[in-house]
Amino acid sequence: MSRRSLTLLKNLARNSNASCIQTRSVTYMPRPGDGSPRAVTLIPGDGIGPLVTNAVEQVMEAMHAPIYFEKYDVHGAMSRVPLEVMESIRKNKVCLKGGLKTPVGGGVSSLNVQLRKELDLFASLVNCFNLPGLPTRHENVDIVVIRENTEGEYAGLEHEVVPGVVESLKVSFLIETPLGCSLYCLGVLSLEDVHSVVESLKVITKFCSERIAKYAFEYAYLNNRKKVTAVHKANIMKLADGLFLESCREVAKKYPGITYNEIIVDNCCMQLVAKPEQFDVMVTPNLYGNLVANTAAGIAGGTGVMPGGNVGADHAVFEQGASAGNVGKDKIVRENKANPVALLLSSAMMLRHLQFPSFADRLETAVKRVISEGKCRTKDLGGQSTTQQVVDAVIANLE
């Protein structure tokens, strides 16, 4: 045995007592240049948003994650995302946000759509998978829905072709009385049968279709996925969805190692609820992706546990993956029983995006342990725990 080996053994023996009382093993070895913390724009949002974003803040602090948040107060009722918020996201490149409530009707545009368009967040990614210990109707579900985020029915090109206003007509007439007097009368006649006609345009372009197809196949290649399925309605919308399919087919030829197939959106929904395990990566136009992702999330365990993000060439915004229920009900907010799991897993995706994979692995492992143990679960997962109790459990399971 060499002299150096003997020295190392002596040092290990000398430090054995100290190692016995070590409370936490080292799980992240920083590389040169990784030490500086990264700024992340934080938008708590509406409804349960402040609860679940606060949960992420607590866990990040407990992990000593190399990030810090720049927090901004933004609400869905605003007409636009404030300029200082957009400047912060452009500067930091990364944003974490809670749900922003979009009023139904009334002409108020969605701030979520505004963010995607102004930052060119062309790809929405939602990962729907079974969590160990969480019972669901189907097993072996692991679906990634990649949705084009900037055009389609969400292009916002709507206008009123025929105004649907109530029209009125002023009328005047003379009435002769039996005594020979004339009465001048003025009245208003309402015409209420004028029906409104509104036109909404669906926009599909070659550029955006090719871009989302390339993203889907590249994601499948880098993550060792075996199949990409294009979801469409080209049997009816032959030009628009036909162009989308044409783009997917051209990109698929460049990835011979990945199986490519196509499915009509209505059949897709039926197949999702019948045999979801047949799907791997799904690439869709805008509206179909929203419907498919929420359906897949409900099958795999619920919207409260599915992570997601919106990614562009320069910026990324991470949020709860499935849009259904991301604002929550007032009762959940009052009782502090919002499920933070989806946003915690989304923040793990964010850490991986920021090239802090060890922190992402620690967070995901802790969340999955809490779900698997089953002691701390919110009402949507069959428990009665509060948001804070779930957060405390996740922090206790961090390694």
Side-chain angles (χ1 to χ4, degrees):
M1 184 178 293
S2 67
R3 183 178 301 174
R4 184 174 181 181
S5 298
L6 286 172
T7 304
L8 288 173
L9 287 173
K10 289 178 181 178
N11 289 335
L12 286 172
R14 189 181 300 117
N15 295 327
S16 61
N17 291 333
S19 63
C20 289
I21 61 173
Q22 188 174 351
T23 57
R24 183 166 64 90
S25 60
V26 176
T27 57
Y28 180 72
M29 297 299 293
R31 300 188 302 274
D34 281 356
S36 58
R38 288 286 304 270
V40 174
T41 305
L42 179 65
I43 301 175
D46 299 313
I48 66 171
L51 277 174
V52 294
T53 52
N54 179 256
V56 173
E57 289 183 276
Q58 292 183 58
V59 174
M60 291 296 172
E61 184 178 357
M63 293 173 65
H64 303 290
I67 65 171
Y68 63 93
F69 292 110
E70 295 179 359
K71 191 184 296 187
Y72 291 91
D73 196 23
V74 181
H75 299 285
M78 294 178 173
S79 60
R80 292 198 63 80
V81 179
L83 181 60
E84 62 269 21
V85 179
M86 297 303 301
E87 290 176 349
S88 174
I89 300 175
R90 288 192 173 98
K91 171 176 65 75
N92 298 330
K93 308 294 186 185
V94 177
C95 173
L96 181 72
K97 79 175 193 69
L100 291 172
K101 187 174 183 179
T102 302
V104 178
V108 179
S109 62
S110 168
L111 297 191
N112 299 299
V113 175
Q114 282 185 31
L115 278 172
R116 296 167 197 161
K117 286 188 175 181
E118 292 194 25
L119 298 172
D120 196 24
L121 305 174
F122 67 87
S124 167
L125 188 149
V126 181
N127 191 2
C128 303
F129 57 93
N130 291 127
L131 283 166
L134 186 63
T136 58
R137 293 186 178 182
H138 298 276
E139 297 180 354
N140 303 317
V141 177
D142 188 5
I143 302 170
V144 175
V145 181
I146 296 175
R147 156 193 173 197
E148 206 293 318
N149 230 3
T150 60
E151 56 178 20
E153 292 85 351
Y154 285 36
L157 300 175
E158 295 182 315
H159 60 276
E160 196 171 33
V161 180
V162 178
V165 295
V166 176
E167 295 186 357
S168 60
L169 179 65
K170 289 183 180 180
V171 294
S172 61
F173 48 91
L174 289 173
I175 299 178
E176 295 288 342
T177 68
L179 298 177
C181 298
S182 296
L183 296 178
Y184 178 75
C185 299
L186 179 66
V188 177
L189 177 65
S190 294
L191 304 176
E192 299 185 358
D193 58 347
V194 179
H195 297 293
S196 174
V197 178
V198 174
E199 190 173 61
S200 179
L201 301 180
K202 171 177 177 174
V203 177
I204 298 289
T205 65
K206 181 77 169 178
F207 172 78
C208 289
S209 298
E210 280 188 349
R211 182 170 65 170
I212 197 65
K214 288 176 183 176
Y215 185 90
F217 276 94
E218 193 65 15
Y219 177 91
Y221 176 77
L222 294 175
N223 290 276
N224 198 30
R225 297 278 182 159
K226 305 301 181 185
K227 182 169 67 172
V228 173
T229 301
V231 183
H232 67 94
K233 190 65 177 173
N235 58 323
I236 303 298
M237 286 169 274
K238 300 182 184 298
L239 291 178
D241 284 22
L243 178 59
F244 175 79
L245 279 187
E246 178 187 319
S247 303
C248 291
R249 291 167 183 167
E250 289 177 2
V251 174
K253 294 176 183 177
K254 301 176 183 177
Y255 294 84
I258 298 174
T259 302
Y260 170 72
N261 66 346
E262 301 166 357
I263 188 168
I264 297 173
V265 63
D266 38 1
N267 182 33
C268 173
C269 293
M270 189 274 289
Q271 294 290 337
L272 265 176
V273 298
K275 291 180 62 180
E277 62 277 1
Q278 67 182 289
F279 296 106
D280 192 354
V281 175
M282 306 175 77
V283 59
T284 78
N286 207 333
L287 177 62
Y288 309 155
N290 195 12
L291 305 177
V292 168
N294 281 273
T295 303
I299 290 166
T303 60
V305 295
M306 299 302 151
N310 303 280
V311 183
D314 300 312
H315 308 92
V317 175
F318 295 90
E319 59 186 336
Q320 182 171 317
S323 59
N326 67 351
V327 176
K329 298 179 180 178
D330 293 338
K331 184 179 178 181
I332 297 175
V333 178
R334 288 195 305 269
E335 296 177 352
N336 293 323
K337 290 187 176 180
N339 189 348
V341 169
L343 200 65
L344 286 170
L345 293 175
S346 297
S347 64
M349 290 176 62
M350 179 188 72
L351 287 170
R352 199 164 279 116
H353 176 80
L354 291 171
Q355 298 185 10
F356 297 125
S358 296
F359 284 96
D361 291 342
R362 288 175 59 201
L363 177 53
E364 284 182 350
T365 300
V367 170
K368 289 177 180 179
R369 281 179 180 170
V370 171
I371 296 296
S372 180
E373 289 171 359
K375 297 176 183 178
C376 286
R377 291 183 181 177
T378 48
K379 189 174 182 179
D380 59 314
L381 301 183
Q384 291 297 327
S385 300
T386 64
T387 306
Q388 190 59 51
Q389 287 171 333
V390 176
V391 172
D392 293 340
V394 171
I395 292 174
N397 278 276
L398 288 171
E399 290 186 347

